[in-house]
Amino acid sequence: MTSRIYYVAGSIDGFIATPDDDLDWLLRFGFEEFQEHYDVFFARIGALVMGSATYEFMQRTDADSWAYGDLPVWVLTTRALEPIAGANVSFVSGDVSALLGRIDASAKGKDVWIVGGGPVAAQFAAANALDELWLTLMPVVLGTGKPLLPLRGIDQGYRLVDSTSFPSGAVELRYTIGGAIADTSGT
């Protein structure tokens, strides 16, 4: 069964980018210590969803070596964007709920990676269409920036299923999403 997973790194104060979309704070950690976890995750992926800002970032940084091969990439946008040569990209707009069938079918039984940004993941969460959150908390405080998951109100709840600590101090937290939040108050 296809799961929709928001796989993301963020600061410990809940931001995924600075106010001007800078990721230098994240890139300074490098990728080596995270590569094995990423490879395991990426092997599960059959399609990706991202917003226009994430797509434009990828276009600027990875246009010569598109990181996602021929996997279907769905870009949520209301603007006309330039396609990347050789990339299997579909530009779509509208309610996420109306797109789910097409997105899931394009994954061919594998999982869908909600790449970002936060507003895209929030659309999936608000539609009860987000199954997992894989969050790597980086040991840095940004103070302000683009929120990890900008929801309005309390959503359906998260259950921690795994965690991994890394030498840099980063921590990967894997959650399943949905269901009632258990009352642990003891009352």
Side-chain angles (χ1 to χ4, degrees), residues 143-162:
T144 186
K146 306 291 175 138
L148 171 76
L149 199 54
L151 291 169
R152 298 180 189 267
I154 298 172
D155 66 347
Q156 65 268 29
Y158 300 77
R159 185 173 66 83
L160 184 66
V161 294
D162 196 14

Side-chain angles (χ1 to χ4, degrees), residues 20-101:
D20 60 350
D21 291 319
D22 182 31
L23 294 177
D24 286 345
W25 63 272
L26 176 61
L27 299 176
R28 74 178 186 193
F29 289 94
F31 296 101
E32 188 173 294
E33 71 179 306
F34 309 105
Q35 192 66 50
E36 183 179 334
H37 280 249
Y38 175 80
D39 291 345
V40 167
F41 168 77
F42 195 71
R44 296 176 51 172
I45 300 305
L48 300 90
V49 179
M50 64 181 68
S52 58
T54 300
Y55 176 76
E56 289 173 319
F57 174 81
M58 297 301 296
Q59 197 173 35
R60 285 191 307 273
T61 59
D62 286 345
D64 294 332
S65 59
W66 182 243
Y68 308 120
D70 63 351
L71 288 177
V73 177
W74 298 81
V75 178
L76 303 181
T77 185
T78 57
R79 302 179 285 128
L81 298 171
E82 288 293 319
I84 294 174
N88 181 4
V89 177
S90 298
F91 301 104
V92 294
S93 62
D95 186 338
V96 165
S97 296
L99 302 170
L100 292 176

Side-chain angles (χ1 to χ4, degrees), residues 4 49 76 96 100 103 112 114 119-130:
R4 294 176 215 100
V49 179
L76 303 181
V96 165
L100 292 176
I103 292 169
V112 175
I114 311 304
V120 169
Q123 288 178 55
F124 276 81
N128 291 324
L130 197 58

Side-chain angles (χ1 to χ4, degrees), residues 125-139:
N128 291 324
L130 197 58
D131 301 302
E132 298 179 40
L133 169 62
W134 291 30
L135 168 61
T136 302
L137 287 176
M138 305 306 288

